[in-house]
Amino acid sequence: MHPLKRKSPLRRIVLASAATVSGTVILLSLKPHTSPSVALGAHAPSGSSASSVPGGSKGSDGSSGPTGSGGSGGSAGSKTVTGTSVPTRWGPVQVRVTMTKGRITDVTAVDYPQDNPRDQEINGYALPQLRREVLAAQSASIDTVSGASYTSEGYRQSLQSALDSAGL
Amino acid sequence: MAGQVTDPAGAPPALRHAEEVMGTVVSFDVRGGESQAVRTALEEAIAGLHRVDEVFSTYREGSQISRLARGEVTLEECDPEVAEVLALGAEAERLSDGWFSTRYEGRVDPTGIVKGWAVERAARRLSAAGASGVSVNGGGDVQLYGMPGSHRPWRVGVSDPLRPGGLAAVVSAAGTEELAVATSGTAERGAHIVDPRTGRSAVTDLVAVTVVAPRLTWADCWATAAFAMGSREGLAWLESLPDVEALLITAGDEVRCTGGLAARLG
């Protein structure tokens, strides 16, 4: 099964934290701030408020904040959703998702921590992993995910939150 | 978060909502039906979940279940749902030979059955309001009704516990009007899984059990019970239950399934 992980517990820990990084990125970045609100505000999950926190100091061009689906506005049925720049414990993270006919066709990181070699090392696998996870869920055409119960904190790192956010 | 999304393929519009309640997040995906009736039902379903949280939370000193456990109120003085849930819990305990229990450390504690029951009830409410497709996911346990589109069944990814972000299987609700998918695993919160023979925490060789059955109340209980039993006994027991299919994953990354599961995999 996982010979590499078996032989090297340290590597396993590193991979586990990478999964957490990417999971956080998924949630924090995919919240579509433009989704038409229904009059259910009183029940809006407080957990999601984290995603609307304006970006950290790194939003150099002042574009942090809910940018929503302004995006490319290109061909019909295709749009780009740029998430809010979100301050994480590793630094600000911002992701752009391209959707075509309601399906995610690409996921790219617009802004992410890269100040030191350790950041770059994490990015080397966390960002491709994020992309792979989202695209895998897309290709399986799933509507929802069943798994060991998550807390509201854990939800933020779940594939389910990405599906909810993308409104697929 | 809530929003109405129009499917480009002309499928019924989707009403989406994620609600933080009962210590987790409950995700709604509701298709079709008369718009206002479905929205009203969604609001009622959400209010119902918060009410269940208030009444059944063992973390709240003043909840009915906490007061009942301390003997400050009688069962008759509680909401009728308390008796209903405790009766369902007793039934689950009987059918699982004590592996599922609504008692913990001698006190009444229906935590293990409340969430599945409440999510099933919320989904049923939306279906009864006329929605043609309902998916309600309570922290990883899913109740489905109908279909998301005219020619497409609901599809549920089953998380692979050993490969975060990956899927171990995809369950399809094709050909059925009512289906639930519940998973019990090592990462589970709030589950008091005790071996009834020893009275201690259950020792299991499993990392996850996913149960597929018509109703989430039972699917959730059976997943919890089978997880505690371990792969050998759990699989044999699940196989003996009518209308129940299951996927079990061991710590050694072996996958075991009930005989009829293949027909449910998409």
Side-chain angles (χ1 to χ4, degrees):
Chain A
M1 47 160 280
H2 304 300
L4 274 177
K5 294 184 190 176
R6 276 280 165 72
K7 283 176 190 155
S8 168
L10 195 64
R11 178 167 170 77
R12 181 166 205 159
I13 290 163
V14 169
L15 284 170
S17 57
T20 306
V21 172
S22 71
T24 307
V25 168
I26 289 178
L27 170 88
L28 295 178
S29 55
L30 289 187
K31 285 287 175 191
H33 299 282
T34 53
S35 67
S37 294
V38 180
L40 290 166
H43 298 295
S46 59
S48 69
S49 63
S51 62
S52 55
V53 173
S57 56
K58 245 184 138 184
S60 52
D61 56 358
S63 67
S64 64
T67 48
S69 64
S72 62
S75 58
S78 177
K79 67 174 179 175
T80 304
V81 181
T82 303
T84 307
S85 175
V86 177
T88 72
R89 55 189 285 201
W90 301 276
V93 173
Q94 188 173 25
V95 171
R96 179 177 297 147
V97 175
T98 304
M99 299 181 72
T100 305
K101 293 179 182 170
R103 299 178 66 80
I104 296 177
T105 49
D106 199 12
V107 183
T108 53
V110 180
D111 186 16
Y112 46 88
Q114 46 193 328
D115 293 341
N116 62 54
R118 177 74 185 128
D119 286 338
Q120 288 163 17
E121 186 189 338
I122 291 173
N123 293 333
Y125 49 76
L127 298 175
Q129 181 176 327
L130 158 74
R131 187 172 185 280
R132 200 169 62 237
E133 285 179 11
V134 172
L135 294 176
Q138 278 284 270
S139 64
S141 294
I142 55 168
D143 298 290
T144 190
V145 182
S146 178
S149 304
Y150 40 77
T151 59
S152 32
E153 193 64 32
Y155 170 79
R156 301 181 196 190
Q157 300 171 11
S158 72
L159 186 54
Q160 182 62 39
S161 76
L163 293 175
D164 288 346
S165 304
L168 299 173
Chain B
M1 180 192 70
Q4 187 127 24
V5 182
T6 305
D7 188 313
L15 183 60
R16 308 288 297 255
H17 182 78
E19 182 72 12
E20 188 171 358
V21 63
M22 300 190 294
T24 186
V25 172
V26 179
S27 305
F28 293 84
D29 184 349
V30 189
R31 313 290 177 102
E34 194 274 309
S35 174
Q36 192 51 51
V38 170
R39 277 162 194 266
T40 302
L42 177 58
E43 289 180 27
E44 288 170 359
I46 291 164
L49 293 174
H50 284 281
R51 176 66 186 163
V52 166
D53 200 6
E54 266 175 51
V55 170
F56 287 96
S57 174
T58 54
Y59 295 98
R60 299 173 193 232
E61 285 292 303
S63 71
Q64 289 183 23
I65 209 71
S66 295
R67 298 182 66 207
L68 182 69
R70 293 195 301 267
E72 293 169 13
V73 291
T74 65
L75 190 54
E76 291 71 32
E77 289 169 318
C78 296
D79 285 7
E81 285 82 359
V82 176
E84 181 186 343
V85 167
L86 291 180
L88 290 168
E91 179 76 354
E93 187 162 347
R94 189 179 66 77
L95 290 169
S96 68
D97 210 11
W99 282 94
F100 183 91
S101 175
T102 52
R103 299 195 73 80
Y104 182 64
E105 293 180 345
R107 280 162 56 115
V108 59
D109 184 348
T111 304
I113 194 168
V114 165
K115 193 182 72 176
W117 169 80
V119 168
E120 178 190 322
R121 192 172 68 151
R124 198 182 318 114
R125 187 190 289 269
L126 287 156
S127 177
S132 55
V134 178
S135 164
V136 183
N137 186 338
D141 298 320
V142 184
Q143 177 75 59
L144 307 166
Y145 287 103
M147 296 166 77
S150 48
H151 301 292
R152 201 175 79 76
W154 288 112
R155 290 167 59 82
V156 182
V158 176
S159 291
D160 186 336
L162 299 174
R163 295 170 192 80
L167 299 178
V170 176
V171 173
S172 164
T176 179
E177 187 55 31
E178 177 186 52
L179 196 72
V181 183
T183 300
S184 237
T186 41
E188 183 156 357
R189 58 166 274 281
H192 313 305
I193 303 182
V194 175
D195 184 335
R197 299 169 305 194
T198 63
R200 298 183 180 178
S201 285
V203 178
T204 181
D205 61 334
L206 292 165
V207 289
V209 176
T210 296
V211 171
V212 182
R215 294 180 54 189
L216 186 55
T217 302
W218 302 121
D220 197 11
C221 291
W222 304 159
T224 305
F227 182 81
M229 290 177 191
S231 62
R232 183 190 291 258
E233 189 175 347
L235 181 61
W237 177 67
L238 289 165
E239 196 74 86
S240 75
L241 298 172
D243 287 329
V244 171
E245 302 302 339
L247 176 88
L248 298 82
I249 300 176
T250 71
D253 204 19
E254 290 175 83
V255 177
R256 312 236 164 108
C257 303
T258 54
L261 183 74
R264 280 265 152 258
L265 296 180

